[in-house]
Amino acid sequence: MKTVIRYPILFRAHPGRTEKPKDVLVPYLHEHDVPEISEAETHIAFRSQKYALVEYDGRLFSKVGKPGSNSAEACFGHAFEKEELRRRPWWIPTIEGDKVYIRYAGQPLDNLAYYRLYLDGGDKARETMIWPALTPDYQRHLGGPRSRNEFTFQGLVDKIRDINGVQFDAGREEHRAEAERLIVIDGSYWIETTPPAICVAHEGRMIVELSHLPNWLDHDLGRQYFPLTAKDEAIEYARRAQAITQRSEEPVRNFADWTDFRFDDNPLFAFDYEGYSLKRTTFLLGGDIARAMTGNGEIEGKIGSARARAVLSAKEGARSCGADYRTWPDASDLVHDVTDAWKMTGRKPGWTEIPPKRHEFGTMICERAAQMADSMPISVSARSTWTTSP
């Protein structure tokens, strides 16, 4: 089924009226032929009241809706969302009638684009380096765009020049890969999704709820994700974190127990939550320090050359993260230097969100990541030239 999807695309170009090139972040209208299959070729792998996931071709899919429906229009028609909505993971409803946030297909690419801008931004404010303007309210009285979703690359081709072709082609490849996540089952769109997860979040106090594993570097380190089979570990972490919140005397609220959900004993629901958490912590904290180093040359001398190299490696690792958490680079050899450097630089606020009590919570996050790295088994590839020891 031919489908047009708005995806964000980020590249450098020259607007023509400025001295230097700028970062351009606009929607690109991507057309894709979405494959159509029969419901008989799928089976339900997860069900929670009104919410279900199906398995097809060894992948998990959640329902978007029929062509022309509000949910399909939202999924394919929005390249950008407000910041607070863009960064929220995909929630799974826990009670009958609970609102389900409609996802948009470009959400991972949107989050990744903003984070890449932040990493490369030096001492400039985040999210203000983008051209056209992030919120073009000034054009409303002229009948201009009312939101970023109304900009398109196709509408700018006569206004910009010197486009960075490498960046542009890389963005188009990301569009193609994201579009491959869509299928049509008996006339309705479904989108490939990450595993459902137990999310332990800080909302004044610790709460436990169901969500999907974010396919981007979720900036809120107050949120941690666990497989459905790791409920005990999730509750243990929630209680540990609750003890250092500002409402430590209150109990953890477990909303995940409010619903009756069923799922197969299926490897598609498993993920390495320790490795996932370790990478998030290292790349986010490392990115914050690297950004600070760009604006303050004294930081490198303060943390030392070894830690500085680890920080820059973490930044490059973060920039290379795509919209598939399974392909994110390893960070276990960086975590100690990065967390030490973050604590040595005064824990300055950056892209990462750490809830109050910030000092205690940040310490716990760093210690937890270091402990995970220390407990991970060392794996090496076998070599044919190796011999057994006597």
PDB file of all heavy atoms in Angstrom, residues 261-290:
ATOM      1  N   PHE A 261      -2.136  -8.654  32.089  1.00  0.00           N
ATOM      2  CA  PHE A 261      -1.603  -8.800  30.745  1.00  0.00           C
ATOM      3  C   PHE A 261      -1.020 -10.197  30.576  1.00  0.00           C
ATOM      4  O   PHE A 261      -0.558 -10.825  31.522  1.00  0.00           O
ATOM      5  CB  PHE A 261      -0.549  -7.725  30.434  1.00  0.00           C
ATOM      6  CG  PHE A 261       0.637  -7.693  31.357  1.00  0.00           C
ATOM      7  CD1 PHE A 261       1.763  -8.448  31.085  1.00  0.00           C
ATOM      8  CD2 PHE A 261       0.629  -6.896  32.492  1.00  0.00           C
ATOM      9  CE1 PHE A 261       2.871  -8.408  31.925  1.00  0.00           C
ATOM     10  CE2 PHE A 261       1.722  -6.848  33.336  1.00  0.00           C
ATOM     11  CZ  PHE A 261       2.839  -7.610  33.050  1.00  0.00           C
ATOM     12  N   ARG A 262      -1.081 -10.662  29.350  1.00  0.00           N
ATOM     13  CA  ARG A 262      -0.587 -12.005  29.027  1.00  0.00           C
ATOM     14  C   ARG A 262       0.415 -11.892  27.880  1.00  0.00           C
ATOM     15  O   ARG A 262       0.233 -11.099  26.961  1.00  0.00           O
ATOM     16  CB  ARG A 262      -1.731 -12.929  28.617  1.00  0.00           C
ATOM     17  CG  ARG A 262      -2.829 -13.045  29.657  1.00  0.00           C
ATOM     18  CD  ARG A 262      -3.834 -14.138  29.290  1.00  0.00           C
ATOM     19  NE  ARG A 262      -4.382 -13.959  27.953  1.00  0.00           N
ATOM     20  CZ  ARG A 262      -5.400 -13.179  27.668  1.00  0.00           C
ATOM     21  NH1 ARG A 262      -5.953 -12.456  28.630  1.00  0.00           N
ATOM     22  NH2 ARG A 262      -5.867 -13.083  26.450  1.00  0.00           N
ATOM     23  N   PHE A 263       1.453 -12.712  27.954  1.00  0.00           N
ATOM     24  CA  PHE A 263       2.427 -12.700  26.873  1.00  0.00           C
ATOM     25  C   PHE A 263       3.073 -14.078  26.774  1.00  0.00           C
ATOM     26  O   PHE A 263       3.132 -14.832  27.753  1.00  0.00           O
ATOM     27  CB  PHE A 263       3.484 -11.617  27.078  1.00  0.00           C
ATOM     28  CG  PHE A 263       4.332 -11.792  28.314  1.00  0.00           C
ATOM     29  CD1 PHE A 263       5.565 -12.408  28.254  1.00  0.00           C
ATOM     30  CD2 PHE A 263       3.876 -11.321  29.540  1.00  0.00           C
ATOM     31  CE1 PHE A 263       6.344 -12.563  29.385  1.00  0.00           C
ATOM     32  CE2 PHE A 263       4.658 -11.462  30.676  1.00  0.00           C
ATOM     33  CZ  PHE A 263       5.886 -12.078  30.599  1.00  0.00           C
ATOM     34  N   ASP A 264       3.531 -14.384  25.585  1.00  0.00           N
ATOM     35  CA  ASP A 264       4.211 -15.649  25.349  1.00  0.00           C
ATOM     36  C   ASP A 264       5.581 -15.644  26.011  1.00  0.00           C
ATOM     37  O   ASP A 264       6.174 -14.597  26.248  1.00  0.00           O
ATOM     38  CB  ASP A 264       4.411 -15.883  23.843  1.00  0.00           C
ATOM     39  CG  ASP A 264       3.105 -16.045  23.105  1.00  0.00           C
ATOM     40  OD1 ASP A 264       2.096 -16.332  23.776  1.00  0.00           O
ATOM     41  OD2 ASP A 264       3.098 -15.864  21.874  1.00  0.00           O
ATOM     42  N   ASP A 265       6.088 -16.845  26.294  1.00  0.00           N
ATOM     43  CA  ASP A 265       7.490 -16.985  26.681  1.00  0.00           C
ATOM     44  C   ASP A 265       8.291 -16.898  25.389  1.00  0.00           C
ATOM     45  O   ASP A 265       8.608 -17.892  24.748  1.00  0.00           O
ATOM     46  CB  ASP A 265       7.708 -18.319  27.397  1.00  0.00           C
ATOM     47  CG  ASP A 265       9.138 -18.473  27.882  1.00  0.00           C
ATOM     48  OD1 ASP A 265       9.875 -17.472  27.855  1.00  0.00           O
ATOM     49  OD2 ASP A 265       9.514 -19.592  28.273  1.00  0.00           O
ATOM     50  N   ASN A 266       8.602 -15.664  24.994  1.00  0.00           N
ATOM     51  CA  ASN A 266       9.086 -15.379  23.656  1.00  0.00           C
ATOM     52  C   ASN A 266      10.383 -14.572  23.741  1.00  0.00           C
ATOM     53  O   ASN A 266      10.434 -13.575  24.461  1.00  0.00           O
ATOM     54  CB  ASN A 266       8.009 -14.582  22.907  1.00  0.00           C
ATOM     55  CG  ASN A 266       8.282 -14.461  21.422  1.00  0.00           C
ATOM     56  OD1 ASN A 266       9.418 -14.267  21.009  1.00  0.00           O
ATOM     57  ND2 ASN A 266       7.236 -14.557  20.621  1.00  0.00           N
ATOM     58  N   PRO A 267      11.427 -14.969  23.032  1.00  0.00           N
ATOM     59  CA  PRO A 267      12.684 -14.209  23.081  1.00  0.00           C
ATOM     60  C   PRO A 267      12.542 -12.770  22.579  1.00  0.00           C
ATOM     61  O   PRO A 267      13.388 -11.930  22.878  1.00  0.00           O
ATOM     62  CB  PRO A 267      13.630 -15.011  22.179  1.00  0.00           C
ATOM     63  CG  PRO A 267      12.752 -15.879  21.345  1.00  0.00           C
ATOM     64  CD  PRO A 267      11.548 -16.175  22.174  1.00  0.00           C
ATOM     65  N   LEU A 268      11.472 -12.462  21.848  1.00  0.00           N
ATOM     66  CA  LEU A 268      11.265 -11.100  21.378  1.00  0.00           C
ATOM     67  C   LEU A 268      10.996 -10.125  22.522  1.00  0.00           C
ATOM     68  O   LEU A 268      11.142  -8.914  22.364  1.00  0.00           O
ATOM     69  CB  LEU A 268      10.092 -11.051  20.388  1.00  0.00           C
ATOM     70  CG  LEU A 268      10.312 -11.735  19.035  1.00  0.00           C
ATOM     71  CD1 LEU A 268       9.043 -11.681  18.206  1.00  0.00           C
ATOM     72  CD2 LEU A 268      11.463 -11.078  18.276  1.00  0.00           C
ATOM     73  N   PHE A 269      10.609 -10.650  23.679  1.00  0.00           N
ATOM     74  CA  PHE A 269      10.335  -9.796  24.828  1.00  0.00           C
ATOM     75  C   PHE A 269      11.566  -9.614  25.717  1.00  0.00           C
ATOM     76  O   PHE A 269      11.517  -8.852  26.687  1.00  0.00           O
ATOM     77  CB  PHE A 269       9.185 -10.371  25.662  1.00  0.00           C
ATOM     78  CG  PHE A 269       7.858 -10.294  24.980  1.00  0.00           C
ATOM     79  CD1 PHE A 269       7.386 -11.353  24.235  1.00  0.00           C
ATOM     80  CD2 PHE A 269       7.082  -9.152  25.066  1.00  0.00           C
ATOM     81  CE1 PHE A 269       6.167 -11.280  23.594  1.00  0.00           C
ATOM     82  CE2 PHE A 269       5.856  -9.074  24.431  1.00  0.00           C
ATOM     83  CZ  PHE A 269       5.403 -10.137  23.689  1.00  0.00           C
ATOM     84  N   ALA A 270      12.634 -10.300  25.411  1.00  0.00           N
ATOM     85  CA  ALA A 270      13.839 -10.217  26.237  1.00  0.00           C
ATOM     86  C   ALA A 270      14.756  -9.122  25.715  1.00  0.00           C
ATOM     87  O   ALA A 270      14.840  -8.873  24.511  1.00  0.00           O
ATOM     88  CB  ALA A 270      14.568 -11.560  26.224  1.00  0.00           C
ATOM     89  N   PHE A 271      15.433  -8.453  26.627  1.00  0.00           N
ATOM     90  CA  PHE A 271      16.498  -7.528  26.250  1.00  0.00           C
ATOM     91  C   PHE A 271      17.469  -7.413  27.421  1.00  0.00           C
ATOM     92  O   PHE A 271      17.108  -7.648  28.578  1.00  0.00           O
ATOM     93  CB  PHE A 271      15.944  -6.147  25.854  1.00  0.00           C
ATOM     94  CG  PHE A 271      15.163  -5.445  26.931  1.00  0.00           C
ATOM     95  CD1 PHE A 271      15.781  -4.572  27.816  1.00  0.00           C
ATOM     96  CD2 PHE A 271      13.799  -5.638  27.050  1.00  0.00           C
ATOM     97  CE1 PHE A 271      15.059  -3.911  28.801  1.00  0.00           C
ATOM     98  CE2 PHE A 271      13.059  -4.981  28.031  1.00  0.00           C
ATOM     99  CZ  PHE A 271      13.689  -4.116  28.911  1.00  0.00           C
ATOM    100  N   ASP A 272      18.696  -7.077  27.097  1.00  0.00           N
ATOM    101  CA  ASP A 272      19.750  -6.946  28.107  1.00  0.00           C
ATOM    102  C   ASP A 272      19.581  -5.602  28.797  1.00  0.00           C
ATOM    103  O   ASP A 272      20.122  -4.588  28.361  1.00  0.00           O
ATOM    104  CB  ASP A 272      21.114  -7.053  27.429  1.00  0.00           C
ATOM    105  CG  ASP A 272      22.276  -6.829  28.391  1.00  0.00           C
ATOM    106  OD1 ASP A 272      22.047  -6.803  29.631  1.00  0.00           O
ATOM    107  OD2 ASP A 272      23.415  -6.656  27.914  1.00  0.00           O
ATOM    108  N   TYR A 273      18.802  -5.589  29.882  1.00  0.00           N
ATOM    109  CA  TYR A 273      18.482  -4.311  30.514  1.00  0.00           C
ATOM    110  C   TYR A 273      19.706  -3.678  31.178  1.00  0.00           C
ATOM    111  O   TYR A 273      19.808  -2.448  31.265  1.00  0.00           O
ATOM    112  CB  TYR A 273      17.337  -4.470  31.512  1.00  0.00           C
ATOM    113  CG  TYR A 273      17.658  -5.194  32.793  1.00  0.00           C
ATOM    114  CD1 TYR A 273      18.098  -4.511  33.920  1.00  0.00           C
ATOM    115  CD2 TYR A 273      17.515  -6.571  32.888  1.00  0.00           C
ATOM    116  CE1 TYR A 273      18.381  -5.171  35.104  1.00  0.00           C
ATOM    117  CE2 TYR A 273      17.786  -7.247  34.062  1.00  0.00           C
ATOM    118  CZ  TYR A 273      18.223  -6.542  35.164  1.00  0.00           C
ATOM    119  OH  TYR A 273      18.504  -7.213  36.339  1.00  0.00           O
ATOM    120  N   GLU A 274      20.638  -4.484  31.632  1.00  0.00           N
ATOM    121  CA  GLU A 274      21.843  -3.904  32.226  1.00  0.00           C
ATOM    122  C   GLU A 274      22.700  -3.223  31.162  1.00  0.00           C
ATOM    123  O   GLU A 274      23.190  -2.111  31.358  1.00  0.00           O
ATOM    124  CB  GLU A 274      22.631  -4.983  32.964  1.00  0.00           C
ATOM    125  CG  GLU A 274      21.930  -5.494  34.223  1.00  0.00           C
ATOM    126  CD  GLU A 274      22.808  -6.415  35.036  1.00  0.00           C
ATOM    127  OE1 GLU A 274      23.727  -7.025  34.442  1.00  0.00           O
ATOM    128  OE2 GLU A 274      22.591  -6.520  36.253  1.00  0.00           O
ATOM    129  N   GLY A 275      22.889  -3.906  30.036  1.00  0.00           N
ATOM    130  CA  GLY A 275      23.653  -3.299  28.951  1.00  0.00           C
ATOM    131  C   GLY A 275      22.974  -2.051  28.408  1.00  0.00           C
ATOM    132  O   GLY A 275      23.634  -1.050  28.102  1.00  0.00           O
ATOM    133  N   TYR A 276      21.653  -2.093  28.301  1.00  0.00           N
ATOM    134  CA  TYR A 276      20.890  -0.945  27.817  1.00  0.00           C
ATOM    135  C   TYR A 276      21.057   0.242  28.760  1.00  0.00           C
ATOM    136  O   TYR A 276      21.328   1.370  28.337  1.00  0.00           O
ATOM    137  CB  TYR A 276      19.420  -1.342  27.697  1.00  0.00           C
ATOM    138  CG  TYR A 276      18.493  -0.255  27.190  1.00  0.00           C
ATOM    139  CD1 TYR A 276      18.260  -0.093  25.826  1.00  0.00           C
ATOM    140  CD2 TYR A 276      17.844   0.596  28.074  1.00  0.00           C
ATOM    141  CE1 TYR A 276      17.404   0.903  25.357  1.00  0.00           C
ATOM    142  CE2 TYR A 276      16.990   1.582  27.621  1.00  0.00           C
ATOM    143  CZ  TYR A 276      16.761   1.728  26.265  1.00  0.00           C
ATOM    144  OH  TYR A 276      15.913   2.715  25.809  1.00  0.00           O
ATOM    145  N   SER A 277      20.908  -0.004  30.063  1.00  0.00           N
ATOM    146  CA  SER A 277      21.029   1.062  31.056  1.00  0.00           C
ATOM    147  C   SER A 277      22.443   1.626  31.081  1.00  0.00           C
ATOM    148  O   SER A 277      22.641   2.850  31.180  1.00  0.00           O
ATOM    149  CB  SER A 277      20.647   0.531  32.439  1.00  0.00           C
ATOM    150  OG  SER A 277      20.812   1.517  33.428  1.00  0.00           O
ATOM    151  N   LEU A 278      23.426   0.751  31.004  1.00  0.00           N
ATOM    152  CA  LEU A 278      24.823   1.188  31.031  1.00  0.00           C
ATOM    153  C   LEU A 278      25.128   2.100  29.843  1.00  0.00           C
ATOM    154  O   LEU A 278      25.782   3.144  29.999  1.00  0.00           O
ATOM    155  CB  LEU A 278      25.726  -0.037  31.026  1.00  0.00           C
ATOM    156  CG  LEU A 278      27.230   0.162  31.183  1.00  0.00           C
ATOM    157  CD1 LEU A 278      27.848  -1.069  31.834  1.00  0.00           C
ATOM    158  CD2 LEU A 278      27.890   0.370  29.820  1.00  0.00           C
ATOM    159  N   LYS A 279      24.665   1.731  28.654  1.00  0.00           N
ATOM    160  CA  LYS A 279      24.912   2.561  27.473  1.00  0.00           C
ATOM    161  C   LYS A 279      24.232   3.912  27.607  1.00  0.00           C
ATOM    162  O   LYS A 279      24.826   4.957  27.301  1.00  0.00           O
ATOM    163  CB  LYS A 279      24.418   1.829  26.221  1.00  0.00           C
ATOM    164  CG  LYS A 279      25.235   0.600  25.859  1.00  0.00           C
ATOM    165  CD  LYS A 279      24.633  -0.133  24.680  1.00  0.00           C
ATOM    166  CE  LYS A 279      25.405  -1.413  24.379  1.00  0.00           C
ATOM    167  NZ  LYS A 279      24.838  -2.154  23.228  1.00  0.00           N
ATOM    168  N   ARG A 280      22.971   3.922  28.028  1.00  0.00           N
ATOM    169  CA  ARG A 280      22.255   5.192  28.209  1.00  0.00           C
ATOM    170  C   ARG A 280      23.015   6.115  29.153  1.00  0.00           C
ATOM    171  O   ARG A 280      23.248   7.285  28.850  1.00  0.00           O
ATOM    172  CB  ARG A 280      20.869   4.933  28.807  1.00  0.00           C
ATOM    173  CG  ARG A 280      19.753   4.687  27.850  1.00  0.00           C
ATOM    174  CD  ARG A 280      18.446   4.570  28.627  1.00  0.00           C
ATOM    175  NE  ARG A 280      18.014   5.822  29.199  1.00  0.00           N
ATOM    176  CZ  ARG A 280      17.287   5.925  30.315  1.00  0.00           C
ATOM    177  NH1 ARG A 280      16.924   4.853  30.984  1.00  0.00           N
ATOM    178  NH2 ARG A 280      16.910   7.106  30.750  1.00  0.00           N
ATOM    179  N   THR A 281      23.398   5.584  30.311  1.00  0.00           N
ATOM    180  CA  THR A 281      24.082   6.406  31.309  1.00  0.00           C
ATOM    181  C   THR A 281      25.392   6.960  30.762  1.00  0.00           C
ATOM    182  O   THR A 281      25.692   8.151  30.889  1.00  0.00           O
ATOM    183  CB  THR A 281      24.340   5.584  32.578  1.00  0.00           C
ATOM    184  OG1 THR A 281      23.100   5.121  33.112  1.00  0.00           O
ATOM    185  CG2 THR A 281      25.070   6.405  33.628  1.00  0.00           C
ATOM    186  N   THR A 282      26.183   6.098  30.138  1.00  0.00           N
ATOM    187  CA  THR A 282      27.496   6.508  29.639  1.00  0.00           C
ATOM    188  C   THR A 282      27.379   7.531  28.526  1.00  0.00           C
ATOM    189  O   THR A 282      28.082   8.552  28.512  1.00  0.00           O
ATOM    190  CB  THR A 282      28.273   5.279  29.151  1.00  0.00           C
ATOM    191  OG1 THR A 282      28.353   4.308  30.196  1.00  0.00           O
ATOM    192  CG2 THR A 282      29.681   5.660  28.715  1.00  0.00           C
ATOM    193  N   PHE A 283      26.496   7.289  27.561  1.00  0.00           N
ATOM    194  CA  PHE A 283      26.380   8.200  26.426  1.00  0.00           C
ATOM    195  C   PHE A 283      25.765   9.539  26.829  1.00  0.00           C
ATOM    196  O   PHE A 283      26.163  10.591  26.319  1.00  0.00           O
ATOM    197  CB  PHE A 283      25.560   7.551  25.312  1.00  0.00           C
ATOM    198  CG  PHE A 283      26.232   6.364  24.670  1.00  0.00           C
ATOM    199  CD1 PHE A 283      25.488   5.300  24.186  1.00  0.00           C
ATOM    200  CD2 PHE A 283      27.604   6.312  24.548  1.00  0.00           C
ATOM    201  CE1 PHE A 283      26.105   4.212  23.591  1.00  0.00           C
ATOM    202  CE2 PHE A 283      28.236   5.221  23.956  1.00  0.00           C
ATOM    203  CZ  PHE A 283      27.485   4.168  23.471  1.00  0.00           C
ATOM    204  N   LEU A 284      24.792   9.524  27.735  1.00  0.00           N
ATOM    205  CA  LEU A 284      24.161  10.781  28.146  1.00  0.00           C
ATOM    206  C   LEU A 284      25.097  11.626  29.005  1.00  0.00           C
ATOM    207  O   LEU A 284      25.285  12.824  28.746  1.00  0.00           O
ATOM    208  CB  LEU A 284      22.864  10.490  28.898  1.00  0.00           C
ATOM    209  CG  LEU A 284      21.701   9.968  28.035  1.00  0.00           C
ATOM    210  CD1 LEU A 284      20.563   9.474  28.919  1.00  0.00           C
ATOM    211  CD2 LEU A 284      21.198  11.045  27.091  1.00  0.00           C
ATOM    212  N   LEU A 285      25.699  11.016  30.025  1.00  0.00           N
ATOM    213  CA  LEU A 285      26.613  11.780  30.869  1.00  0.00           C
ATOM    214  C   LEU A 285      27.864  12.185  30.095  1.00  0.00           C
ATOM    215  O   LEU A 285      28.369  13.300  30.253  1.00  0.00           O
ATOM    216  CB  LEU A 285      26.991  10.973  32.108  1.00  0.00           C
ATOM    217  CG  LEU A 285      25.847  10.634  33.079  1.00  0.00           C
ATOM    218  CD1 LEU A 285      26.387   9.937  34.318  1.00  0.00           C
ATOM    219  CD2 LEU A 285      25.052  11.866  33.460  1.00  0.00           C
ATOM    220  N   GLY A 286      28.374  11.273  29.265  1.00  0.00           N
ATOM    221  CA  GLY A 286      29.534  11.613  28.441  1.00  0.00           C
ATOM    222  C   GLY A 286      29.226  12.747  27.480  1.00  0.00           C
ATOM    223  O   GLY A 286      30.061  13.636  27.257  1.00  0.00           O
ATOM    224  N   GLY A 287      28.021  12.743  26.907  1.00  0.00           N
ATOM    225  CA  GLY A 287      27.643  13.823  26.010  1.00  0.00           C
ATOM    226  C   GLY A 287      27.578  15.159  26.717  1.00  0.00           C
ATOM    227  O   GLY A 287      27.996  16.197  26.167  1.00  0.00           O
ATOM    228  N   ASP A 288      27.082  15.169  27.951  1.00  0.00           N
ATOM    229  CA  ASP A 288      27.017  16.419  28.707  1.00  0.00           C
ATOM    230  C   ASP A 288      28.409  16.984  28.988  1.00  0.00           C
ATOM    231  O   ASP A 288      28.647  18.191  28.876  1.00  0.00           O
ATOM    232  CB  ASP A 288      26.276  16.195  30.028  1.00  0.00           C
ATOM    233  CG  ASP A 288      24.772  16.099  29.838  1.00  0.00           C
ATOM    234  OD1 ASP A 288      24.295  16.362  28.718  1.00  0.00           O
ATOM    235  OD2 ASP A 288      24.068  15.760  30.808  1.00  0.00           O
ATOM    236  N   ILE A 289      29.337  16.086  29.371  1.00  0.00           N
ATOM    237  CA  ILE A 289      30.693  16.566  29.657  1.00  0.00           C
ATOM    238  C   ILE A 289      31.376  17.028  28.375  1.00  0.00           C
ATOM    239  O   ILE A 289      32.064  18.055  28.363  1.00  0.00           O
ATOM    240  CB  ILE A 289      31.539  15.465  30.328  1.00  0.00           C
ATOM    241  CG1 ILE A 289      30.819  14.879  31.534  1.00  0.00           C
ATOM    242  CG2 ILE A 289      32.886  16.029  30.775  1.00  0.00           C
ATOM    243  CD1 ILE A 289      31.446  13.613  32.065  1.00  0.00           C
ATOM    244  N   ALA A 290      31.202  16.291  27.289  1.00  0.00           N
ATOM    245  CA  ALA A 290      31.826  16.680  26.022  1.00  0.00           C
ATOM    246  C   ALA A 290      31.312  18.042  25.567  1.00  0.00           C
ATOM    247  O   ALA A 290      32.077  18.870  25.060  1.00  0.00           O
ATOM    248  CB  ALA A 290      31.539  15.622  24.956  1.00  0.00           C
TER     249      ALA A 290
END
